[in-house]
Amino acid sequence: MLLRGCLAIYYREMLILRKKLFKQMASMSVGPILYMIAFGFGMGRDVQVQGRLYIEFLIPGLIAMNSMTQAYAIASEINIARFYWRIFEEFQAAPIRNMAYVTGEVLAGITRALLSVAVVIVIGLLSGVVLSYNPWFWLAIVLNGFLFSSLAVCLAMLVRSHADQALLTNFVITPMAFLGGTFFPVERMPQWAQNLLQFLPLTHAAHSIRSAAFGQPIEPGSYGLLAIMGTVLFVLAFYCVTQAKE
Amino acid sequence: MIRIQKLKKNYKNVAALKGIDLEVDGGELFAYLGPNGSGKTTTIKILTGLAKPSSGDATLHGFHIERDAMQAKRQCGLVPQTINLDHELTVFENLDLHGRLFHMSRGERMDRIDELLEYIEIADRRNSPVKQLSGGLKRRVMVARALMHSPRILFLDEPTVGLDPSIRRRIWSLIKRIQQAGTTIFLTTHYIEEAEFLAKRVAFLDEGRIVALDSPQNLMARLGVWALDRVTDGDMETAYFQSREEANRHINEQKGSFSLRRVNLEDVFIAIAGKRVL
């Protein structure tokens, strides 16, 4: 019963995604293209970071950032369904468990994250950047998607309007996108800032994705941390959905 | 069958339901009437699993709404007051999604969708995006969606609100057909004539309590057959009579502007609660 409910929710999100696929893909590529032009090409082809061309350093960061924003974007879809179309009531009146609802939405978030990664990889390939897309690379992306789509479900249930959701995005996602090791190595920051940034999940996601993409040894601690934080947020999402009933 | 016992619901400091006791028979078309804020929608939300009761019990065909929540949800279909179709999807996709949410197999879903689209006479709009449909068509799709998993009870919360009279009559006819097929219908409405036309029994709800419960005919018969409205100084007084002759005698004895009409359920509610349903 859990699986059927979860698949029904996932099916709905995929139907919506399929209908807007071209627009979504175009939207997913705007950010990475702009950042590549501004930071990648704008800084010149010769700039090196950690012994690699900056553009090579940047692509894994953009992958981490894009997968985060796209996984988190399901919060907007949930809000539109909840406050605008009121479809959330249809889900609540159906014989599906709250766990099935959360799992379906989180799976949809991970799917969006993977799609957005494919977009960045293609842009990277067109720019001549070829990285190692091994299982550790994909695992880091799935964990990143899992974490941020769980966070999205939590926050989508806590907010009271669509405007509140946009406000939360500004406070939670935007700082993470710029400070989580996307555009520069966290190691270049002052020690106190580095200590603080270790608490951001994107720091670990960007680091893990970059290490895997460069074929460097992976850090199991970062993977473990992403998995633990994701699981905590997933459980919280379940709790928030249960509370949202009232 | 719907059985409600001592049902209460509090929202912070507001008591929305103050102890509802009610039984609705299987296959009955029951109307639940009352002014805005009287607790109609709250009752439906509790019965369909959208809200939790503060206290009390309710069962749907023997399934407790909290202890057997999943089974209870399978018993009922809900047409809420606000149109809550997925506007991004087509008519077919909306019905298919509902079937999936109620764990229907692919074969069951396809057969039922074909059957329902014929039943509500919109087979030609099967692949139309919902956002392109008129208000009346959207309401019919909502009814079809609620019937998708063949519920034994259909909750209709203001199903004709905002529709023009001709479309409202089509929806009435659809509701009658559904009830005649054996489905229990629990209807809330602001339209008194809707309840009079459709329902076998009605309950009047006022400030979270049922203040009257009987057939429309019995409730109206308690007042009389004819209602005589008299407008005086901007105020309206209504007197009730068993016969037209009696009412005419009254007109001859009094001065003022009169209007004679048949007693309706609105009169009953005003007589009981001292206020209008609308």
Side-chain angles (χ1 to χ4, degrees):
Chain A
M1 192 153 77
L2 186 73
L3 182 67
R4 279 193 170 187
C6 158
L7 289 178
I9 300 293
Y10 183 69
Y11 166 78
R12 187 253 168 191
E13 296 298 343
M14 290 305 103
L15 269 181
I16 305 280
L17 185 64
R18 196 184 70 191
K19 283 176 190 288
K20 299 190 286 190
L21 190 61
F22 181 73
K23 278 193 273 185
Q24 286 283 355
M25 299 286 265
S27 155
M28 286 172 186
S29 61
V30 170
I33 288 174
L34 286 176
Y35 289 127
M36 277 182 68
I37 293 170
F39 297 111
F41 303 132
M43 287 173 72
R45 277 256 173 199
D46 303 328
V47 176
Q48 293 218 336
V49 177
Q50 293 179 335
R52 286 184 172 268
L53 289 175
Y54 182 64
I55 192 93
E56 288 178 353
F57 176 85
L58 182 62
I59 294 282
L62 291 179
I63 286 172
M65 188 183 77
N66 225 24
S67 56
M68 171 188 74
T69 49
Q70 288 304 319
Y72 183 79
I74 60 157
S76 298
E77 299 291 345
I78 294 172
N79 268 306
I80 292 167
R82 191 170 165 215
F83 296 120
Y84 196 56
W85 301 128
R86 297 189 175 275
I87 301 156
F88 189 59
E89 277 189 5
E90 164 80 351
F91 298 149
Q92 285 187 308
I96 59 166
R97 309 257 174 220
N98 291 339
M99 185 57 82
Y101 174 77
V102 176
T103 311
E105 292 292 0
V106 167
L107 279 178
I110 294 172
T111 306
R112 286 176 66 119
L114 290 170
L115 262 179
S116 73
V117 170
V119 169
V120 181
I121 288 175
V122 170
I123 294 170
L125 287 174
L126 293 175
S127 314
V129 178
V130 181
L131 300 166
S132 172
Y133 306 116
N134 53 55
W136 290 111
F137 171 86
W138 292 109
L139 177 63
I141 289 162
V142 169
L143 287 175
N144 197 35
F146 170 60
L147 188 153
F148 283 101
S149 39
S150 298
L151 175 69
V153 178
C154 278
L155 297 182
M157 292 297 131
L158 292 176
V159 298
R160 296 278 167 223
S161 71
H162 203 54
D164 288 351
Q165 185 70 49
L167 203 68
L168 271 176
T169 304
N170 283 340
F171 280 113
V172 178
I173 296 300
T174 310
M176 202 125 42
F178 285 93
L179 300 175
T182 311
F183 299 105
F184 53 85
V186 173
E187 294 77 28
R188 288 196 179 174
M189 303 286 276
Q191 190 57 47
W192 64 266
Q194 283 186 45
N195 293 342
L196 275 179
L197 295 179
Q198 289 305 313
F199 290 102
L200 298 185
L202 193 69
T203 307
H204 296 277
H207 181 71
S208 301
I209 291 168
R210 196 168 275 129
S211 299
F214 291 165
Q216 295 168 348
I218 59 120
E219 280 186 31
S222 287
Y223 284 82
L225 203 70
L226 288 173
I228 291 168
M229 288 170 94
T231 306
V232 169
L233 286 169
F234 185 83
V235 173
L236 266 177
F238 169 71
Y239 175 76
C240 291
V241 169
T242 308
Q243 291 300 306
K245 204 166 207 172
E246 292 297 294
Chain B
M1 181 184 204
I2 305 169
R3 182 170 288 152
I4 305 173
Q5 290 170 312
K6 299 182 174 60
L7 194 67
K8 290 184 182 176
K9 177 68 182 173
N10 301 319
Y11 289 108
K12 291 183 182 166
N13 297 326
V14 181
L17 295 179
K18 297 173 182 168
I20 300 291
D21 288 290
L22 182 64
E23 279 192 18
V24 178
D25 292 333
E28 182 177 353
L29 207 164
F30 184 84
Y32 201 53
L33 310 176
N36 279 336
S38 58
K40 303 187 300 288
T41 299
T42 300
T43 308
I44 286 192
K45 281 190 165 182
I46 291 173
L47 294 177
T48 54
L50 297 179
K52 289 178 184 166
S54 301
S55 64
D57 285 303
T59 56
L60 305 176
H61 282 284
F63 295 105
H64 193 274
I65 54 163
E66 289 191 292
R67 289 195 294 272
D68 317 308
M70 295 296 148
Q71 284 297 334
K73 284 179 177 185
R74 285 172 196 269
Q75 306 303 312
C76 56
L78 168 66
V79 180
Q81 194 172 342
T82 320
I83 289 175
N84 73 339
L85 295 167
D86 206 324
H87 282 59
E88 309 265 9
L89 307 183
T90 64
V91 171
F92 169 82
E93 288 165 342
N94 267 280
L95 299 183
D96 187 41
L97 174 62
H98 184 92
R100 286 168 186 261
L101 288 168
F102 280 79
H103 314 150
M104 294 168 72
S105 69
R106 182 181 161 75
E108 285 171 337
R109 295 198 308 270
M110 296 307 119
D111 290 347
R112 188 68 175 148
I113 290 171
D114 289 341
E115 188 187 338
L116 282 171
L117 290 179
E118 290 292 334
Y119 188 62
I120 61 165
E121 299 162 12
I122 58 162
D124 56 327
R125 308 304 296 268
R126 179 189 176 96
N127 294 316
S128 299
V130 161
K131 59 188 166 198
Q132 289 177 3
L133 302 182
S134 66
L137 281 179
K138 282 179 188 165
R139 285 274 165 201
R140 277 152 67 186
V141 174
M142 283 175 71
V143 173
R145 186 183 63 178
L147 292 172
M148 190 59 200
H149 60 287
S150 308
R152 295 162 79 186
I153 305 165
L154 183 61
F155 290 95
L156 299 164
D157 193 3
E158 307 274 1
T160 60
V161 71
L163 299 179
D164 66 50
S166 66
I167 295 170
R168 194 183 304 160
R169 296 236 160 220
R170 289 191 74 168
I171 300 277
W172 289 3
S173 150
L174 179 62
I175 293 170
K176 274 276 188 198
R177 275 194 289 147
I178 295 165
Q179 187 250 336
Q180 281 160 4
T183 309
T184 307
I185 295 192
F186 191 96
L187 167 82
T188 77
T189 180
H190 266 113
Y191 301 115
I192 285 294
E193 72 277 18
E194 191 162 286
E196 277 179 29
F197 178 77
L198 291 171
K200 183 183 153 203
R201 284 193 309 149
V202 301
F204 278 116
L205 196 63
D206 187 35
E207 295 178 1
R209 283 198 180 89
I210 291 178
V211 291
L213 172 66
D214 208 334
S215 69
Q217 295 71 26
N218 287 349
L219 286 170
M220 290 188 290
R222 289 182 202 170
L223 285 183
V225 179
W226 295 93
L228 186 63
D229 297 323
R230 181 187 178 205
V231 180
T232 49
D233 300 329
D235 208 7
M236 191 163 77
E237 291 170 0
T238 306
Y240 303 101
F241 303 93
Q242 289 300 333
S243 70
R244 194 173 189 133
E245 292 70 33
E246 216 179 316
N248 282 332
R249 265 202 305 278
H250 187 80
I251 292 170
N252 292 334
E253 287 164 8
Q254 305 283 321
K255 286 182 180 174
S257 173
F258 293 96
S259 170
L260 186 62
R261 57 179 175 78
R262 283 195 166 268
V263 167
N264 61 32
L265 279 176
E266 179 89 28
D267 296 310
V268 177
F269 186 74
I270 293 168
I272 295 168
K275 57 184 149 186
R276 303 183 77 84
V277 172
L278 274 171

